[in-house]
Amino acid sequence: MNTTSIRNLGIIAHIDAGKTTLSERILWKTGEVHKVGEVHNGAATMDHMDQERERGITIASAATQAQWHDHRLTLIDTPGHIDFSIEVERSLRVLDGAVAVFCAVAGVQPQSETVWRQAKRYNVPLIAFVNKMDRTGANFERVRHQLRDMLGANPVATVVPLGSEAQFDGLVDLVEQTVWAWDEKGTPTTRDWSAEEHLHYAAARETLVEQIAEVDDVVMEAYLSQTVSTQLLKEGLRRATLAQRAVVVLAGTAFKNKGIENLLNAVVDYLPSPMDRTNVIGHTDAGDEQIAPNRNEPVAGLVFKTVEHQHGNLAFVRLYRGTLKTGDKVLNPRTGDVLRVGRLAVVKVDSTEDVAQAFAGDIVGVVGWKNARTGDTIADERHVVELERLNIAEPVLAWRLVAKNGAEMSKMVAALDKLCRDDPSLRLTSDTESGDPVLWGMGELHLDVTTERVRRDTGAVFSVGEPMVAYRERPTVASGLVDEKLAKQTGGKGQYARVVVVMEPRNDDQIVFVDEIVGGVVGKEFIQATEKGVREALTNGVHEYPVVGATVRLVDGDTHNVDSSAQAFQRAGFLAAKSALARAQSVVLEPIMAVTVDTPSAYVGDVVSDAQRRSGVLVNLDDNGSVGQIVFNAPLAQLGGYTTSLRSVSQGRASSSMVLHGYEPQRVAPKTGLRA
Ligand code: GDP
């Protein structure tokens, strides 16, 4: 397949907008599945896990291949819930373009805004699909305006919906000048505009041409000389989409199978192929290089997902450069492992199909790599590059997991280890006091889904302890000189080290060690040992939380030519950092979440007072008399059970999302802390 005929695309949406149904219909229309499963009764093909079926949400991204008009589409499913935003991030990294699905009734919702912004950050060209045109209250124009007003997009509607709500049954295509209609089974018919329709839609088409001319010089020139052909218009719209100067807006109903063909055509016409990706950068020892999708150059690929599969581990790789063949050897720069490409597989809806090779631009599964993790690069051994790692949010919430007995504990931990490898936004540590495993994640739902999965997959019996919040601590003033001398002379070889350090607060979250030793009073090896001790001390500060934002300068020291050792300097560094931190008035920081709530206006007052009870600080309140949006910042420690209480406050009608806003000095003393 020619690389220009490849479309690696994602479907992004607010939960419930219809992403799963749409993915399903795309696979049906492209002939990949023969029976349409309904999300209603939990049979959607793209949802792999039972749990997802039950919850009706799509958690894990699956990459599935389909064909449309001589083009190969690889559909990368992305989750709607922000708690799984790592899944969104990783798919945005590897896909080239995306379809953003909006509900024609609910319009732009908070999570669609978040995901939209993420897509912008990764420079992903987008097409908007206004779904659920069949529902009562559907309003295409309103969503189009929201795209402009709320998301700052330049929406270009290429269709006019015919009929609305239950009567929605067709689309006028303003580009091709055709009319589409669908019967009850979703079978389309299409015809050219009649003379009457030419007159009727002339103004709408003119507006479309003007809109494109405004963002594309070639179309502008043709427009001025009155020579805009359909082909030229499509090319202009493609350029504008790729440059993110326009977003094509389409309409339809996935559920009733209308408008899917137009969307697929638009994917082919307007969304980028891997050849259009010019922003992929690789780091090498000789500096950064641009990774062009050339088949004949050294291999560079990104592992963006690893899953357990019936034939062993399956690593999904997006190949950015080169050719990967079975039998090849590639390097994982993170681990230094040389990996053999045993089996290559392409994932279809119900099967995996072996292939002998994969090329730049392809997404391919590699079977059998045990230690490859999400975010790893694979590279040619003779030309090592490392691709940008995924932008992974720090886990902020943790649950202590208490297994019923030793056997249950082993089952549980083995399953959790596996899940942590697949999802880098999960982390497993252990509680220093009880020794219980502690699972960190990005929020309640994330932890809930993960532990449920462990229960279901392994049958392990365990309970969940009090939720714990990831506190940190940070120095607030300079410590002044701290002189730490370790001198033990108890017969035989002694232990001698002296270090003088200063600790200063930083504006960022880094720990920086600066060697300011002059005249070699402390040797290189001992300086390294001191740094090790300093860093070790700061993993667990005076309040027993990890320390962030400190510069430690080693300004002086002393060595004994017999009694000094690396060990002694490490110990001295450790002790010096501990006392410097105490003198630098280290304070506890807590995670503050930005919470966005959408609710019918009737509940705005209750939502706000509930937020205030949780020490929330109001950031924004919009209320148009029918629906309201409230944004507030609150300490994570005060947000336990928030979704449940929101549901009861609003009789289930409000929805919320939360993301980490930042760390701030603690307002209320912690009930339970977490010792990392
Ligand atoms: P997701 O959460 O975005 O994956 O959304 P789903 O595909 O699970 O759809 C959510 C609900 O909306 C399900 O009950 C679907 O049957 C329903 N739905 C999806 N598309 C449409 C549509 O075009 N019209 C109507 N009326 N309902 C739809």
Side-chain angles (χ1 to χ4, degrees):
M1 168 97 31
N2 197 321
T3 313
T4 52
S5 304
I6 295 176
R7 299 288 178 273
N8 297 315
L9 73 144
I11 300 188
I12 61 177
H14 184 281
I15 192 159
D16 234 32
K19 186 187 57 208
T20 311
T21 312
L22 180 63
S23 308
E24 174 84 1
R25 297 312 199 261
I26 288 176
L27 295 172
W28 175 57
K29 290 282 183 186
T30 55
E32 293 301 316
V33 285
H34 302 294
K35 217 173 119 239
V36 183
E38 297 299 348
V39 183
H40 288 313
N41 49 34
T45 313
M46 294 281 285
D47 279 20
H48 291 304
M49 296 184 279
D50 288 351
Q51 250 203 81
E52 291 184 11
R53 276 181 208 162
E54 258 174 38
R55 287 168 198 256
I57 52 178
T58 312
I59 302 162
S61 306
T64 313
Q65 258 194 27
Q67 294 276 128
W68 184 253
H69 294 180
D70 299 330
H71 284 68
R72 187 221 287 150
L73 315 184
T74 300
L75 220 60
I76 299 156
D77 197 17
T78 59
H81 200 282
I82 203 64
D83 263 20
F84 308 112
S85 80
I86 173 61
E87 302 275 0
V88 182
E89 295 267 349
R90 72 166 130 214
S91 33
L92 287 177
R93 238 324 259 295
V94 296
L95 49 79
D96 298 314
V99 174
V101 186
F102 297 91
C103 169
V105 183
V108 173
Q109 290 161 288
Q111 280 162 24
S112 28
E113 276 188 78
T114 309
V115 178
W116 187 276
R117 260 182 257 118
Q118 280 172 321
K120 287 268 149 204
R121 190 164 72 233
Y122 285 97
N123 290 318
V124 173
L126 296 163
I127 288 178
F129 182 73
V130 180
N131 189 34
K132 303 200 187 183
M133 284 300 295
D134 60 314
R135 273 189 59 191
T136 310
N139 189 331
F140 179 70
E141 279 305 301
R142 190 168 55 92
V143 182
R144 196 166 66 85
H145 284 120
Q146 286 180 337
L147 285 170
R148 194 185 55 213
D149 301 337
M150 294 170 70
L151 301 179
N154 175 25
V156 177
T158 55
V159 294
V160 177
L162 289 175
S164 77
E165 306 184 343
Q167 269 71 49
F168 170 76
D169 63 359
L171 289 172
V172 172
D173 185 329
L174 292 173
V175 178
E176 303 277 2
Q177 306 179 80
T178 53
V179 178
W180 287 73
W182 288 268
D183 66 16
E184 279 306 302
K185 290 202 186 102
T187 311
T189 48
T190 171
R191 59 170 175 80
D192 291 336
W193 284 357
S194 62
E196 213 171 276
E197 283 161 341
H198 268 283
L199 281 177
H200 192 258
Y201 294 112
R205 190 167 202 270
E206 183 77 4
T207 309
L208 174 74
V209 175
E210 281 169 9
Q211 252 189 310
I212 300 167
E214 265 167 37
V215 291
D216 187 81
D217 293 344
V218 181
V219 175
M220 180 55 99
E221 230 169 83
Y223 173 67
L224 293 175
S225 58
Q226 304 264 302
T227 54
V228 185
S229 67
T230 296
Q231 188 54 29
L232 191 103
L233 199 58
K234 282 165 81 168
E235 286 166 9
L237 201 43
R238 178 177 181 83
R239 280 190 298 270
T241 306
L242 298 189
Q244 295 168 69
R245 285 200 290 262
V247 172
V248 169
V249 189
L250 297 160
T253 152
F255 186 56
K256 300 272 172 68
N257 307 309
K258 295 172 186 175
I260 316 296
E261 293 85 355
N262 310 64
L263 176 63
L264 288 167
N265 289 343
V267 163
V268 164
D269 288 340
Y270 308 125
L271 285 187
S273 85
M275 294 307 281
D276 299 307
R277 274 292 280 272
T278 52
N279 57 354
V280 184
I281 301 292
H283 310 297
T284 74
D285 284 344
D288 288 355
E289 67 180 25
Q290 191 158 334
I291 310 279
N294 193 325
R295 294 179 175 193
N296 304 317
E297 286 182 19
V299 161
L302 184 79
V303 176
F304 67 97
K305 173 100 186 161
T306 61
V307 291
E308 285 294 306
H309 185 260
Q310 64 205 58
H311 306 298
N313 287 322
L314 181 65
F316 282 94
V317 176
R318 158 79 197 238
L319 207 53
Y320 287 97
R321 191 175 63 191
T323 301
L324 202 58
K325 291 200 262 323
T326 49
D328 279 358
K329 291 207 170 82
V330 289
L331 181 81
N332 179 343
R334 181 182 63 83
T335 58
D337 291 346
V338 174
L339 306 168
R340 194 177 165 274
V341 181
R343 264 183 73 194
L344 288 173
V346 161
V347 180
K348 298 270 178 87
V349 175
D350 288 320
S351 59
T352 46
E353 209 169 85
D354 281 19
V355 292
Q357 53 188 357
F359 304 104
D362 286 352
I363 285 173
V364 69
V366 187
V367 185
W369 287 348
K370 283 215 172 56
N371 295 323
R373 276 212 315 245
T374 294
D376 282 352
T377 298
I378 56 154
D380 190 313
E381 279 181 87
R382 288 147 304 185
H383 185 97
V384 181
V385 294
E386 198 153 6
L387 300 166
E388 202 89 27
R389 295 194 70 79
L390 295 164
N391 190 349
I392 291 159
E394 275 287 300
V396 286
L397 191 68
W399 286 357
R400 191 160 58 86
L401 305 177
V402 188
K404 193 172 160 214
N405 55 39
E408 299 301 319
M409 170 92 139
S410 323
K411 271 200 275 185
M412 174 181 84
V413 170
L416 285 170
D417 276 340
K418 217 179 286 166
L419 290 174
C420 290
R421 202 173 53 217
D422 294 345
D423 179 352
S425 58
L426 284 173
R427 211 156 60 204
L428 197 61
T429 61
S430 62
D431 186 48
T432 42
E433 274 157 33
S434 62
D436 290 327
V438 172
L439 181 68
W440 299 65
M442 291 169 56
E444 278 183 349
L445 185 59
H446 193 202
L447 293 174
D448 194 29
V449 165
T450 308
T451 47
E452 268 307 301
R453 219 181 137 184
V454 171
R455 287 200 177 94
R456 198 169 299 215
D457 291 355
T458 66
V461 181
F462 59 92
S463 61
V464 168
E466 270 277 284
M468 296 183 276
V469 168
Y471 295 102
R472 297 172 170 183
E473 55 178 278
R474 158 196 298 284
T476 54
V477 297
S479 66
L481 290 176
V482 173
D483 194 332
E484 189 68 47
K485 192 159 114 182
L486 195 77
K488 276 192 200 148
Q489 252 119 5
T490 46
K493 190 169 180 285
Q495 289 266 335
Y496 183 88
R498 179 176 160 252
V499 296
V500 182
V501 304
V502 177
M503 179 180 290
E504 285 150 4
R506 294 176 62 84
N507 290 330
D508 60 22
D509 288 345
Q510 312 241 3
I511 301 290
V512 176
F513 179 86
V514 189
D515 162 21
E516 291 180 6
I517 292 293
V518 283
V521 290
V522 179
K524 274 277 170 276
E525 181 199 348
F526 295 161
I527 293 173
Q528 274 168 11
T530 308
E531 174 169 1
K532 203 166 160 205
V534 166
R535 290 194 182 275
E536 188 191 332
L538 299 185
T539 55
N540 203 356
V542 287
H543 303 283
E544 299 195 41
Y545 301 122
V547 179
V548 295
T551 299
V552 178
R553 296 191 284 122
L554 174 63
V555 294
D556 201 1
D558 214 351
T559 316
H560 185 282
N561 54 11
V562 179
D563 290 342
S564 280
S565 63
Q567 213 182 5
F569 272 91
Q570 186 173 336
R571 183 77 193 144
F574 181 91
L575 295 172
K578 286 278 188 205
S579 37
L581 187 64
R583 287 209 224 160
Q585 295 174 20
S586 181
V587 295
V588 176
L589 304 176
E590 63 178 342
I592 305 292
M593 308 302 283
V595 185
T596 306
V597 180
D598 280 75
T599 173
S601 292
Y603 307 111
V604 165
D606 291 342
V607 171
V608 170
S609 25
D610 182 53
Q612 279 159 350
R613 262 198 304 280
R614 296 169 181 274
S615 318
V617 174
L618 202 62
V619 177
N620 196 31
L621 199 165
D622 278 324
D623 188 354
N624 68 7
S626 82
V627 291
Q629 187 180 77
I630 299 134
V631 183
F632 67 94
N633 293 341
L636 176 62
Q638 309 283 322
L639 290 169
Y642 187 70
T643 26
T644 313
S645 84
L646 185 66
R647 213 174 295 139
S648 72
V649 158
S650 69
Q651 297 176 7
R653 295 184 57 203
S655 66
S656 69
S657 68
M658 54 177 90
V659 289
L660 182 66
H661 170 69
Y663 274 85
E664 282 177 16
Q666 193 176 31
R667 298 182 208 158
V668 192
K671 277 199 304 241
T672 39
L674 189 60
R675 283 154 185 80

